[in-house]
Amino acid sequence: MNKREVIAAVAERSGVNPEDCAKVLDSFEDVFTEEITGSKWKNAAFEQIYGLLNLIKEKKNNKQSNLS
């Protein structure tokens, strides 16, 4: 999935227009890059990605629980 496809999918699922999704994802990328670049820990990138994936998984599980 490329960036354009991610933006389209997020826009469709969230109901937010694609332009706003693009702004948010670009800002997220900037913040994420700054955090990784500024980190002195060699495994910081993996820790950040793991944390992000856990957050996404938790949100998805909460959404599914609310639908039940």
Side-chain angles (χ1 to χ4, degrees):
M1 186 176 255
N2 65 33
K3 187 173 181 177
R4 186 172 30 109
E5 292 167 333
V6 169
I7 290 168
V10 170
E12 182 180 328
R13 291 179 186 192
S14 68
V16 175
N17 71 54
E19 294 80 17
D20 289 339
C21 287
K23 289 177 188 176
V24 170
L25 289 175
D26 286 342
S27 296
F28 174 78
E29 184 179 356
D30 291 343
V31 169
F32 189 75
T33 300
E34 287 172 9
E35 285 296 312
I36 297 301
T37 302
S39 176
K40 295 180 181 176
W41 297 98
K42 129 178 152 176
N43 293 325
F46 296 109
E47 292 172 16
Q48 294 290 332
I49 292 168
Y50 181 75
L52 176 62
L53 292 175
N54 278 334
L55 178 66
I56 292 168
K57 183 178 178 181
E58 181 180 314
K59 225 176 169 176
K60 183 178 179 180
N61 289 339
N62 287 339
K63 184 178 180 181
Q64 289 175 346
S65 293
N66 291 336
L67 295 175
S68 300

